């Protein structure tokens, strides 16, 4: 994941500070210097880093803090809030309304994935009940209209463009007018990619904006952009009223600090992030959970939401009832594997766990293991799949039969059984746990007990015990 290395280094600096016996000016400066180096090496602009360091020192005035204050916690919270501020200038974003036509114009650098992002944005809102439409006003890049046409057809979204007309302003106006008459409530205009040296293309962008009068201008930016990000983003901001930012290619391994700089330059919040090439690899961006995951603090609320997405709605009540009784079968494990494999990359889920870094799991390794285990389970009988007592259900002859039937070796069947026992032990801790109503997870008394059982003592210690974990959950 982009920014994973940066998050790891900041986490390391905070962890080192936790191990210091006395928190004084020297310890604070060491921590901040390490964070500053990490940000600069990740291509975050110098002025932005300097401002962040100054703000943290203003918040954490060690001389004024009384003896009873938890200085470590105050420093951590200051770092957390400043990183959040860097990604969220606190400016409200325009939200389209159903049954009322809204025009959204996409701008960005060449190769940032703007055309694909337009379709993802339309597809996301289509699933929410909107009637989106796409207009291709990119006459500069060969094949731009073909790409948009292909994407829109696949997503079943109406589109407009021209192979013969070379004036992007004319195409944009015609497209917007056409879809307004067809009662589309979200009209998305894709423009030509450009960089700040191309004055003619910037003038064209201004003309398209004046002609279509967009309700929102979205700046699409590649997360792998380097130190040039700040100047490029500022040039866009000076030409058109950028109201939001979408960061693409967040599934890559770039340093990604330029993305933070661009957000600061436009003074516009990030609304979505692209996490892959597929249409559904597009996530709503929420600052606090993102920074929590970046710093290895996890995103417990996001994890619960993701797991609820993974389990089909019609099965959720049945699953929760079984888990609350401490029941977990091999069939439930199979269904979970199947759903998780359909939900996207597993390192996204791992990054939501407190104290776990997405880089800890080799990409593709866990998916291959799950598929192997599912192949083994396909050779089991209904009795074996539904049993919650593996010692009774699986004797040596059955294990040998399952290995032969699945084309795997006996050792792999034994590995699966060990994995099942490990998961069953974790889920047995959920016995008596009740899912809170109205999504209020923090108020459930059983939730605290569950967290203390599921999270290891070493990991819990990293957060300052249960009270520290609770305060982090409140922040998220």
């Amino acid at each position: 994941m982009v920014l994973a290395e940066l998050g790891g280094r900041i986490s390391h600096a905070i962890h080192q500070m936790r191990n210091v016996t006395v928190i004084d000016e020297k310890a604070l400066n060491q921590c901040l210097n390490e964070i500053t180096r990490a940000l600069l090496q990740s291509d975050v602009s110098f002025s932005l880093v300097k401002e962040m360091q100054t703000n943290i020192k203003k918040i954490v005035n060690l001389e004024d803090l009384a003896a009873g204050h938890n200085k470590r916690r105050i420093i951590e919270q200051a770092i957390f809030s400043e990183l959040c501020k860097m990604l969220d200038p606190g400016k409200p974003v325009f939200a389209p309304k159903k049954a009322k036509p809204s025009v959204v114009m996409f701008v960005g650098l060449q190769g940032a994935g703007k055309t694909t992002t337009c379709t993802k944005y339309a597809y996301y809102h289509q699933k929410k009940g909107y009637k989106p439409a796409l207009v291709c006003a990119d006459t500069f890049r060969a094949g731009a209209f073909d790409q948009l046409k292909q994407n829109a057809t696949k997503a079943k979204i109406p589109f407009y463009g021209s192979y013969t007309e070379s004036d992007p302003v004319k195409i944009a106006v015609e497209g917007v007018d056409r879809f307004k008459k067809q009662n589309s409530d979200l009209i998305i205009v894709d423009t030509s990619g450009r960089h700040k040296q191309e004055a003619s293309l910037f003038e064209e962008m201004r003309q398209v904006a004046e002609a279509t009068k967009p309700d929102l201008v979205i700046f699409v930016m590649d997360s792998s952009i380097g130190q040039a990000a700040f100047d490029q983003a500022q040039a866009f901001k000076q030409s058109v009223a950028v109201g939001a930012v979408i960061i693409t290619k967040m599934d890559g391994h770039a340093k990604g600090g330029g993305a933070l700089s661009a957000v600061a330059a436009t003074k516009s919040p990030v609304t979505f992030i692209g996490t892959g090439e597929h249409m559904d690899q597009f996530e709503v961006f929420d600052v606090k959970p993102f920074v929590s995951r970046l710093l290895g603090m996890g995103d417990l609320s996001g994890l619960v939401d993701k797991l609820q997405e993974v389990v089909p709605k019609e099965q959720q009540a049945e699953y929760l009832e079984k888990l609350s009784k401490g029941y977990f079968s091999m069939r439930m494990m199979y269904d979970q594997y199947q759903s998780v494999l359909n939900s996207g990359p597993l390192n996204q889920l791992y990054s939501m766990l407190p104290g776990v870094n997405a880089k800890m799991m080799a990409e593709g390794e866990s998916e291959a293991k799950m598929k192997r285990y599912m192949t083994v389970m396909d050779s089991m009988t209904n009795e074996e799949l539904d049993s919650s007592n593996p010692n009774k259900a699986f004797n040596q002859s059955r294990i040998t039969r399952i290995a032969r039937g699945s084309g795997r070796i006996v050792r792999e069947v034994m590995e699966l059984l060990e994995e099942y026992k490990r998961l069953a032990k974790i889920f047995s801790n959920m016995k008596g746990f009740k899912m809170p109503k109205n999504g209020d997870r923090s108020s459930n008394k059983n939730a605290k007990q569950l967290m203390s059982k599921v999270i290891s003592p070493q990991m819990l210690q990293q957060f300052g015990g249960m009270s520290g974990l609770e305060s982090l959950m409140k922040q998220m």
Side-chain angles (χ1 to χ4, degrees):
M1 179 186 158
V2 167
L3 296 172
E5 189 178 333
L6 170 63
R9 290 188 62 182
I10 295 174
S11 300
H12 178 68
I14 293 170
H15 187 67
Q16 279 187 320
M17 183 195 63
R18 285 194 191 120
N19 294 334
V20 174
T21 312
V22 178
I23 299 293
D24 53 12
E25 203 71 37
K26 185 184 175 184
L28 174 61
N29 286 333
Q30 279 180 341
C31 179
L32 290 181
N33 288 342
E34 181 63 34
I35 290 170
T36 299
R37 276 195 295 271
L39 288 165
L40 289 172
Q41 286 172 10
S42 295
D43 291 334
V44 181
S45 70
F46 177 77
S47 58
L48 206 59
V49 175
K50 187 71 180 167
E51 186 186 344
M52 178 185 169
Q53 192 175 31
T54 307
N55 289 346
I56 292 172
K57 284 192 172 182
K58 279 180 186 174
I59 296 166
V60 186
N61 193 333
L62 294 173
E63 292 176 7
D64 294 344
L65 288 176
H69 281 93
N70 187 334
K71 293 175 184 177
R72 287 178 179 82
R73 181 67 59 212
I74 291 168
I75 293 169
E76 286 171 35
Q77 286 176 345
I79 293 166
F80 181 87
S81 63
E82 282 302 311
L83 282 170
C84 288
K85 198 189 293 182
M86 199 185 281
L87 285 165
D88 182 11
K91 180 182 170 186
V93 184
F94 169 80
K97 293 178 181 175
K98 291 176 186 174
K100 184 186 176 185
S102 301
V103 178
V104 177
M105 178 175 155
F106 277 65
V107 300
L109 296 164
Q110 290 160 339
K114 192 164 31 58
T115 302
T116 303
T117 304
C118 282
T119 319
K120 286 182 177 182
Y121 186 82
Y123 182 69
Y124 171 84
H125 284 89
Q126 186 184 57
K127 289 196 293 182
K128 298 288 180 185
Y130 289 85
K131 294 177 183 175
L134 291 159
V135 178
C136 181
D138 182 357
T139 56
F140 183 76
R141 179 170 66 92
F145 180 44
D146 283 327
Q147 186 189 350
L148 184 135
K149 183 179 177 181
Q150 188 179 359
N151 289 346
T153 304
K154 196 185 292 181
K156 297 179 181 176
I157 295 164
F159 61 90
Y160 179 81
S162 174
Y163 287 112
T164 54
E165 180 58 61
S166 59
D167 183 4
V169 179
K170 191 176 179 185
I171 294 172
V173 171
E174 285 177 1
V176 168
D177 289 343
R178 170 184 285 203
F179 289 124
K180 278 183 178 177
K181 288 173 186 172
Q182 292 178 9
N183 296 322
S184 291
D185 49 18
L186 183 61
I187 303 162
I188 298 157
V189 180
D190 181 24
T191 62
S192 305
R194 64 209 76 223
H195 55 77
K196 70 170 187 172
Q197 284 78 21
E198 295 173 317
S200 59
L201 283 173
F202 262 79
E203 181 55 40
E204 176 195 291
M205 181 174 71
R206 278 192 287 269
Q207 288 173 5
V208 172
E210 284 171 17
T212 57
K213 293 181 174 55
D215 298 284
L216 175 66
V217 177
I218 295 178
F219 176 55
V220 180
M221 191 192 51
D222 182 345
S223 64
S224 63
I225 193 169
Q227 288 279 1
F230 189 89
D231 294 334
Q232 294 284 3
Q234 212 163 36
F236 276 90
K237 181 70 176 177
Q238 287 164 359
S239 300
V240 288
V242 173
V245 176
I246 293 178
I247 303 174
T248 61
K249 305 177 188 178
M250 288 294 281
D251 54 326
H253 300 285
K255 290 188 281 190
L260 306 182
S261 300
V263 174
T266 59
K267 290 186 170 59
S268 302
V270 180
T271 51
F272 292 90
I273 53 173
T275 55
E277 293 179 4
H278 298 292
M279 207 67 70
D280 55 352
Q281 290 178 321
F282 192 61
E283 296 177 12
V284 175
F285 182 83
D286 198 352
V287 178
K288 286 184 178 179
F290 180 81
V291 174
S292 291
R293 285 159 65 180
L294 183 68
L295 299 182
M297 295 173 178
D299 172 17
L300 297 174
S301 58
L303 179 64
V304 173
D305 291 339
K306 190 79 175 171
L307 291 176
Q308 284 184 338
E309 283 177 24
V310 163
V311 181
K313 282 187 178 178
E314 62 273 12
Q315 295 178 16
Q316 282 180 17
E318 184 189 343
Y319 265 68
L320 287 170
E321 189 182 344
K322 285 179 178 178
L323 291 173
S324 67
K325 292 175 181 175
Y327 174 83
F328 183 72
S329 66
M330 196 72 79
R331 191 186 298 277
M332 288 171 75
M333 182 174 164
Y334 185 95
D335 291 342
Q336 289 296 302
Y337 279 177
Q338 197 165 42
S339 300
V340 168
L341 287 171
N342 292 335
S343 73
L346 281 183
N347 19 11
Q348 285 180 21
L349 286 177
Y350 288 124
S351 67
M352 292 179 181
L353 291 168
V356 177
N357 192 314
K359 293 199 294 181
M360 288 166 67
M361 180 60 69
E363 204 168 332
E365 181 187 309
S366 47
E367 283 93 336
K369 190 180 281 187
M370 278 189 184
K371 287 174 183 174
R372 244 188 352 258
Y373 287 165
M374 287 171 74
T375 303
V376 173
M377 285 188 272
D378 281 334
S379 291
M380 293 181 182
T381 64
N382 287 334
E383 181 192 346
E384 289 161 351
L385 285 170
D386 292 323
S387 171
S388 60
N389 188 345
N391 295 326
K392 186 180 176 182
F394 298 94
N395 54 33
Q396 192 57 47
S397 63
R398 285 192 175 201
I399 290 169
T400 306
R401 190 208 80 234
I402 292 165
R404 283 177 185 163
S406 60
R408 313 304 302 188
I409 57 177
V410 170
R411 181 171 54 79
E412 286 179 318
V413 181
M414 297 297 288
E415 274 178 20
L416 167 64
L417 291 174
E418 286 304 312
E419 180 65 13
Y420 165 73
K421 286 175 187 176
R422 189 183 68 80
L423 285 174
K425 188 177 178 182
I426 291 172
F427 284 115
S428 68
N429 288 325
M430 287 187 74
K431 194 170 184 178
F433 176 73
K434 292 179 182 177
M435 199 63 162
K437 294 177 182 178
N438 303 323
D440 183 16
R441 301 180 188 99
S442 60
S443 65
N444 194 315
K445 291 178 183 177
N446 290 335
K448 295 174 188 176
Q449 295 172 2
L450 179 68
M451 293 305 294
S452 63
K453 289 177 181 177
V454 173
I455 295 180
S456 68
Q458 294 86 352
M459 199 182 288
L460 203 59
Q461 192 180 1
Q462 287 184 17
F463 300 105
M466 203 63 216
S467 59
L469 184 60
E470 282 171 39
S471 67
L472 280 176
M473 288 172 75
K474 284 173 188 172
Q475 282 184 44
M476 294 190 287

